[in-house]
Amino acid sequence: MYLAEVAGIEELSAVAVLGIGGGGDVVGACHTYRWVREGIEPERLVLGGLTWERAVVDPEPGPRSRDEIVGDVEWIHERIGILRGRARPRRGREFAESRVRRVLRRMGHRDVEIVLVDVSGGVKGTVDGLKALIEHFELDVVFGIDVGGDALAKGDEPGVESPLADSIMTCSLSKLEETVLGVFGWGSDGELTREELRRRFSEIAAEGGYLGAIGLTGRDVKFLKKLAEVVETEASLVPLRAAVEGELGPLEIRGGYRTVELGPASVCTFYFDPEVVARGSLLCELVDGTESVEEAHERIRKELGIKTELDWERERVER
């Protein structure tokens, strides 16, 4: 029942766990999912992630909207789809969530609902979608899980290169009651330095925003390894290298483009109050009130002069 304490709710009968950074974040979210499933045993359990895939899965820049998705999806809102079978971007390969669903069903997890979240509508559209998700499943709490920690970024960190999806989701979660922001694999994406993460943790905790943490167990590792076999994700696997192989210190990822500082915190998921996190983030302030991902992107570009993942993806297509 530890995660019920983290959420500040005595009994949790309906819980959603969402990967909020796109790509393989759904795998990192499965650390929390397993603890919810086996520790709380809710009557209704939802797992999901964004329709924004890595280029190796979806060559088109940005998140996919409803009319750009092919497959067996039941749409309960313009921005929220429940997977009933396989689904993929129109020009890409199967979504990570679709592959995770197949593995979980083979493992006997047939009661979990797998959802896709589209952030194309900016913060306003995402909040509306999350409200529909909460209402449809009568959820007690939504855990939004980021892999690495760039969801904690304020906007002045030089290494941040993919702030768009995280800031939209973090800001959206902060608008809703009974939501929790989690970070799996402290610094495992290499965007925030260990010192930047330490400073943000201190700031958030000082305002009462730190809620708790859980570490990887042997069963967690086995579980996540099975999912990682079918999902392309590097950042979500970094914590396993620390937990299983005992690797600490610098580790090169992204083909040597980034370096991650592995440490004991790398094997944990930390939980925060998203309202406190958003309050201290210029990124969340900038994307607040946006009605499209393009508007959120332009605000970040104009005010901070930094590239987002949308820029990198568009440049890749142009090449």
Side-chain angles (χ1 to χ4, degrees):
M1 293 298 292
Y2 176 66
L3 288 182
E5 182 179 337
V6 166
I9 304 173
E10 290 187 6
E11 294 186 12
L12 297 177
S13 61
V15 179
V17 183
L18 307 175
I20 67 170
D25 273 19
V26 65
V27 174
C30 281
H31 181 217
T32 297
Y33 161 80
R34 199 187 78 81
W35 277 67
V36 168
R37 182 182 179 84
E38 299 188 14
I40 297 174
E41 298 182 341
E43 296 175 5
R44 291 181 299 283
L45 183 52
V46 178
L47 174 68
L50 306 190
T51 62
W52 199 334
E53 281 283 3
R54 294 177 61 186
V56 293
V57 176
D58 181 9
E60 294 190 64
R64 301 280 67 79
S65 58
R66 177 176 178 172
D67 59 356
E68 298 174 305
I69 294 173
V70 178
D72 192 1
V73 184
E74 175 190 347
W75 293 93
I76 60 172
H77 182 272
E78 183 182 5
R79 305 296 175 189
I80 304 290
I82 305 173
L83 285 177
R84 299 305 184 196
R86 299 192 180 194
R88 61 175 177 81
R90 61 185 176 187
R91 291 183 54 204
R93 295 162 50 204
E94 194 176 3
F95 282 111
E97 290 74 19
S98 183
R99 283 172 276 168
V100 165
R101 177 181 183 272
R102 196 160 59 253
V103 174
L104 290 179
R105 288 176 72 82
R106 287 203 298 263
M107 295 169 65
H109 297 208
R110 294 181 174 272
D111 54 336
V112 61
E113 297 279 14
I114 308 296
V115 300
L116 296 173
V117 180
D118 170 28
V119 296
S120 297
V123 168
K124 284 190 175 181
T126 303
V127 169
D128 287 344
L130 292 175
K131 285 179 178 178
L133 178 71
I134 292 168
E135 181 179 351
H136 183 84
F137 290 107
E138 299 180 321
L139 296 172
D140 298 311
V141 65
V142 175
F143 288 90
I145 310 298
D146 170 49
V147 174
D150 48 339
L152 304 183
K154 298 172 71 173
D156 59 355
E157 302 89 350
V160 174
E161 293 184 343
S162 59
L164 195 49
D166 294 297
S167 58
I168 289 174
M169 283 298 296
T170 300
C171 185
S172 298
L173 290 170
S174 75
K175 304 288 184 184
L176 303 169
E177 295 183 1
E178 314 302 359
T179 59
V180 174
L181 175 66
V183 173
F184 172 71
W186 201 240
S188 65
D189 58 0
E191 295 205 23
L192 294 187
T193 67
R194 186 160 53 181
E195 175 57 25
E196 288 166 344
L197 285 167
R198 185 202 65 77
R199 189 163 56 246
R200 277 299 277 150
F201 182 97
S202 177
E203 293 171 355
I204 295 165
E207 294 188 36
Y210 168 65
L211 303 178
I214 55 174
L216 283 170
T217 66
R219 290 180 66 185
D220 288 327
V221 170
K222 291 179 181 178
F223 181 61
L224 295 179
K225 277 187 170 182
K226 289 181 181 179
L227 299 176
E229 289 175 359
V230 299
V231 177
E232 296 87 349
T233 174
E234 189 170 22
S236 292
L237 287 179
V238 167
L240 303 188
R241 297 181 65 169
V244 177
E245 301 169 20
E247 291 193 34
L248 297 176
L251 172 69
E252 290 188 349
I253 63 172
R254 309 283 194 258
Y257 177 66
R258 288 193 176 279
T259 300
V260 172
E261 284 289 333
L262 283 177
S266 303
V267 302
C268 295
T269 297
F270 292 89
Y271 300 100
F272 303 95
D273 181 340
E275 186 177 357
V276 175
V277 174
R279 196 162 59 228
S281 168
L282 179 56
L283 285 165
C284 287
E285 179 183 331
L286 288 173
V287 302
D288 193 5
T290 54
E291 299 184 6
S292 70
V293 69
E294 188 66 42
E295 182 185 4
H297 165 74
E298 288 300 326
R299 286 190 187 183
I300 291 174
R301 289 280 283 149
K302 180 180 178 181
E303 296 297 327
L304 299 181
I306 62 176
K307 288 185 175 182
T308 75
E309 54 266 48
L310 202 53
D311 287 305
W312 299 112
E313 291 177 357
R314 285 171 174 168
E315 289 178 5
R316 188 183 300 112
V317 170
E318 290 173 358
R319 291 198 298 267

